[in-house]
Amino acid sequence: MEQAVAAAGDRDVYVQGGYTAQKALEEGVLDEIQLHLIPVLLGGGHRLFDVLPAEVELEIVKVIDTPFATHLRYRVVR
């Protein structure tokens, strides 16, 4: 994370995937979470919220609902 922030300068750093997002939450460096819910359940992969160091409070920023997916954007409350 330190390398990504240093390389980005004043730009945002985008992370993708459950494992990376969990680590960023653990380190307290994740500002927003964007989730895309589709009407298909998969049985594999890393769970995004499987292991967290403590309760993480989220604030809704934006919700876009379409027939194919619901897009949710949250701000991490500190």
Side-chain angles (χ1 to χ4, degrees), residues 3 18 26 42 52 68:
Q3 288 178 325
E26 286 176 15
L42 304 174
L52 296 175
F68 305 105

Side-chain angles (χ1 to χ4, degrees), residues 1-5 8 11-36 48 76 78:
M1 287 299 171
E2 289 176 11
Q3 288 178 325
V5 171
R11 295 173 293 165
D12 292 333
V13 174
Y14 174 83
V15 297
Q16 185 172 344
Y19 178 81
T20 307
Q22 277 187 35
K23 294 302 177 190
L25 278 170
E26 286 176 15
E27 293 181 21
V29 297
L30 195 65
D31 297 320
E32 291 188 351
I33 296 174
Q34 193 164 355
L35 302 173
H36 308 284
L48 180 57
V76 176
R78 292 192 171 84

Side-chain angles (χ1 to χ4, degrees), residues 28-78:
V29 297
L30 195 65
D31 297 320
E32 291 188 351
I33 296 174
Q34 193 164 355
L35 302 173
H36 308 284
L37 301 177
I38 61 171
V40 175
L41 299 175
L42 304 174
H46 285 277
R47 296 179 196 172
L48 180 57
F49 305 114
D50 194 27
V51 179
L52 296 175
E55 182 177 296
V56 177
E57 186 178 345
L58 303 175
E59 177 182 296
I60 295 174
V61 174
K62 188 176 195 178
V63 177
I64 299 173
D65 190 26
T66 73
F68 305 105
T70 301
H71 308 280
L72 305 161
R73 188 171 182 164
Y74 295 98
R75 181 174 297 111
V76 176
V77 177
R78 292 192 171 84

